[in-house]
Amino acid sequence: MKNQTHTLLKNVYGYDNFRPLQEEIINRTIDGKDSFVLMPTGGGKSICFQIPALVFDGITIVVSPLISLMKDQVQALKSNGIKADFFNSSISPQEENDVIGRAMNGELQLLYLSPEKLISVSNTWLRELNIKLVAIDEAHCVSMWGHDFRPEYTQLKVFRNSLPKVPFMALTATADKSARKDIEDQLGLTNSKLFISSFDRKNLSIEVRGQVPKQKKLQEIGNFIERRKEQSGIIYCLSRKNTEEVASHLKQRGHSVAFYHAGMNNEEREKTQTDFINDDTKIIVATIAFGMGIDKSNVRFVIHYNLPKNLEGYYQEIGRAGRDGLPSETILYYNMRDFVLYSQFADGGANSDMQKEKLNRMLQFAEAKSCRRKILLSYFGEHLTENCGNCDVCENPPKDFEGTVITQKALSGIARMKEKDGITMLINVLRGSNNADIHSKQYYNLKTYGIGKDVSFFDWRDYVIQMANQGLIEIMYSENSALKISPIGWAVLKGEKTIRLTTPLTSDDKKKKAKTIKATIGSEANKDLFTELKKIRYSIAKEENMPAYIIFNDKTLKLMASELPTTENEFLAISGVGMNKMEKYGDEFMSVIRKFKSVAKPRKVSTMQHTFNLYQEGFNASEIAEKRNLSITTVFSHLSQLYMEGKEVELEKLVDTKVIDKVRIAFNELDRKVALKPIYEKLNEEVSYGEIRLSITLILKNE
Ligand code: ADP
Ligand code: ZN
């Protein structure tokens, strides 16, 4: 069976390895048992029920509330040669009959249904089908505790009870502990096993930019997009008006952009969404209504124009970027005004305390000075032991310094202004500004007037917010945001307590960062070919009337552009190419690659070829390293790559089997992540990077 599921993974989907948990879930399901699958968006839930569906001799029913998604998913299945269809309110009676006919004739492996349709047909033709598995997608919809309760889902229990011997699988990306229990009860999954995969999406970079004035924000977003021509992205705004403003600004700058919000009619919304999915519009500026029913895998960035209301929403929204696993960027803009506005909204509404608490957590995240991913994941109950290295804080770790004196200056400023003014007035007084308000209030007479001239306005602002975050100052939103000193603040003022502050980012730091982003983009391999491949994909997508990413996702095209496959075997070796797609599209893509290869200037012998030549001449790895003035790790890495390409390299001879065994154990224990460093550390730095690389190549190749 292990072989069968692996073969399906490779032949149908074109993938070499299962992701963590997928295989276990699949095997349990094939054994006829129930499972509860909790994985983040993009985590790879679909394969968990699709592969059993291919193994079973019968039909798998998939229940999903997202009608707009069904069509895409079924198309994706069909493009991989799987017999699937859907049944929901969007199809005509004729089409309905057609689908029913095929289901009854045993011609379908998977049938997607909306819950309401399922209920309405569960006592008619559905009973006649040879159902082998039922998957309930978006299972959180059954729980009244969740944010997305659908009454139809509560009737699924009856359906479950009518099929006592059939395995059920519940899948969702959001459910906390109490909701999980509720879902199991509501669906009658008494013996299910819970599978939770990590919610860490390592390929998403996280950045937060605070207190950026509106014009600058628009400018920055425009520049950001300019540096990412042809990339797809979503910009989330709080209000409909904002979406239209931002979209029009970007359009003026010549970008392919549209807005989307609940005030548009159905038709307009659908068209906007379709254009985005088909890459006819690159960027969507939307209220949070957008994205629920979207499965687009090549969204390269998500920008929040305003502070989201809570971390759940924020994480779900940034999660729409990078579903194909390629590096993707997220930026969150926020300012205090968003915060104050939401707090006021929340006042008096339902669950007002809980909403405010969630909003506070959101703000704390935005203002934090430690690894953002750590904070985010710990909010969801997952604890990272190391900083992520892929968030703005990790990239520019704040330097902290003894800040008691600065803090005392600010606090005494607040005290002398009798705790009646807000942050701007405080800073103006500290910096000795000369404006009308200061005159009318005669603040130039205060002892604190001008004692903070040496610090810029923006730095002061940063410091005061840090003081608020450390609980020294309270911002009274109910009193025009006047600043009040807390008991701990008074202790600092009296010299009973010291305080550390962190240095704000300078614009130099930010420039440095922009440069590194540029550098990584510039260094992509064979960018021109990638663009060509995208064009081909686009034209096929138009011909076949389906979203481009269903044909091949960006990751697969990138691999083609770097590996340059020109034979069927080479093409099949690319991750994401299954048999069906190879047959359907192989020729078209390979002919572009061949053309590219023949036109591309014959480079001087490539560095790998050079290594290979010496290897063939009989030199061993360390001799090659010495001759070529390369590190042994590099030579090992060349050799394993050559081996992967099918060149005659006897990798087995280069590394001891005992070493391979050691690496295998570590590799498995580390969830089979192909990352050298963790393995190196796990093995107490006793096995070299080069040997680890060779071992992994061998382990993967010989499975
Ligand atoms: P989810 O339903 O959890 O949001 P999907 O099932 O849509 O996620 O999977 C996200 C992406 O990951 C898809 O493009 C899918 O083909 C890909 N994927 C799933 N499993 C694997 C795997 N084992 N190896 C490589 N890619 C995979
Ligand atoms: Zn980090």
Side-chain angles (χ1 to χ4, degrees), residues 57-68:
D57 172 24
I59 193 167
T60 291
I61 299 294
V62 186
V63 185
S64 164
L66 303 173
I67 291 181
S68 57

Side-chain angles (χ1 to χ4, degrees), residues 52-78:
L54 303 183
V55 171
F56 287 135
D57 172 24
I59 193 167
T60 291
I61 299 294
V62 186
V63 185
S64 164
L66 303 173
I67 291 181
S68 57
L69 256 183
M70 274 186 207
K71 195 170 140 220
D72 283 1
Q73 284 170 343
V74 166
Q75 250 177 351
L77 286 164
K78 283 184 178 164

Side-chain angles (χ1 to χ4, degrees), residues 195-213:
F195 295 90
I196 307 182
S197 78
S198 168
F199 271 62
D200 190 0
R201 299 277 311 278
K202 294 190 174 55
N203 61 323
L204 302 184
S205 69
I206 304 174
E207 182 179 348
V208 181
R209 300 185 185 176
Q211 316 294 348
V212 183

Side-chain angles (χ1 to χ4, degrees), residues 9 15 17-19 22 40-47 295 323 553 575:
L9 183 70
Y15 299 138
N17 296 297
F18 283 110
R19 291 193 182 148
Q22 282 180 330
T41 311
K45 288 186 282 298
S46 319
I47 277 184
D295 208 350
R323 290 172 71 130
N553 68 25
S575 170

